[in-house]
Amino acid sequence: MKFDNYFDQQFELRYFEMNKLGLATPTIMLGLLEETAADHCYAIDHSIFDLFKMNVGWVLVSGVLQMDRYPSYKEKITIRTWLSSYSSIKGYRENIIFDENQNIIGRAKGLWVFFDIEKRKPIPIFNTIKEQWSFFNTSSIEHDIKKKINAVDSAHYTKQFTVHRFDTDMNKHVNNIRYLQWVIESIPEDIVDNYYLHTIDGRFIAEAQYSDTVLSLTKELPSATAFEHTIKIEGSDKICATAHTHWKTY
C-alpha cells in the first residue's frame, strides 16, 4: 500500500512488554497503537494533554485488532496510521503494523469520538485538527466495526474485578486496554497457554466507574478457538463492552 499522507511511529519492543515466550502481549500492542495515535495528535500541535486542559479528548467506541504474529524482544516495528473518513464528531483511524523488513504483521481500525470530558457527550472536532490530519480514503482492514456484537446470554467462564484508580484514564473512564485484560483473564488457561490472540473485535458501550465491580463473561462459540465476551457491572443490567475473539496456534 503506497501513499503519502500518513503518520509513522517506530518502536523497539522491551523486556517488560513480553510474555513468557518472548513475544509482545495483545495489551502491549493496543498500548502501542494508542501511543501512535497520541503522537499523531502531538505532531499536529494538539497533544492529548493540551486537549485535556480544554476539557476535551478522544474516546474509542469500537475497534478491531488483527495480528498475524506478535513482535519479539528487541524487535523494531513501525506503526503507520491515518484517518480514512470522519464526520463532525468522529473519525476512523486506520493502522498497519510493519516489521523491520516492511512485512505487515498486524492491522487495526478504530472509531474515535471527540468528547467533552465534563459534560460526557460528543462535540464537533476542531477545524484545526481536521485540517492537519493525515487523511487517505482507504481501509487498513476490511471489517465492519459498527456492527452490533450481542451481549453474552449464558457464560461458560466468569471472572470478577473491582475498578481501581489505575484502571481509569485521564478522561475519567476505564481505558479500553483494561477491558481487553479482563477479557483475556476469563479465557480458558489452555487457550491462553497454547494459542495467540489473532483477532479481537470490540464495542465500548457504557462507562464503568471507580469502585464498580465488573464481571467478565466469556462464552465458547462453535469454533473451538472463538469466543464471545461481555463486560458488565455486577448486580445490574449495565453492559460496558462486548467483544469477539479468535485465537490461533503459534
Side-chain angles (χ1 to χ4, degrees), residues 188-202:
E189 193 169 339
D190 175 66
I191 296 294
V192 176
D193 286 346
N194 296 291
Y195 298 78
Y196 72 91
L197 179 61
H198 174 58
T199 307
I200 181 166
D201 183 18

Side-chain angles (χ1 to χ4, degrees), residues 1 3 5 81-84 92-94 96 134 136 138 140:
M1 184 182 294
F3 55 91
N5 207 5
T81 190
W82 69 95
L83 275 291
S84 60
Y92 285 92
R93 178 173 289 281
E94 310 286 343
I96 295 179
S134 300
F136 185 67
T138 195
S140 58

Side-chain angles (χ1 to χ4, degrees), residues 196-201 223 225-227 229 244-248:
Y196 72 91
L197 179 61
H198 174 58
T199 307
I200 181 166
D201 183 18
S223 169
T225 57
F227 301 88
H229 309 276
H244 285 155
T245 61
H246 179 220
W247 301 70
K248 285 189 174 182

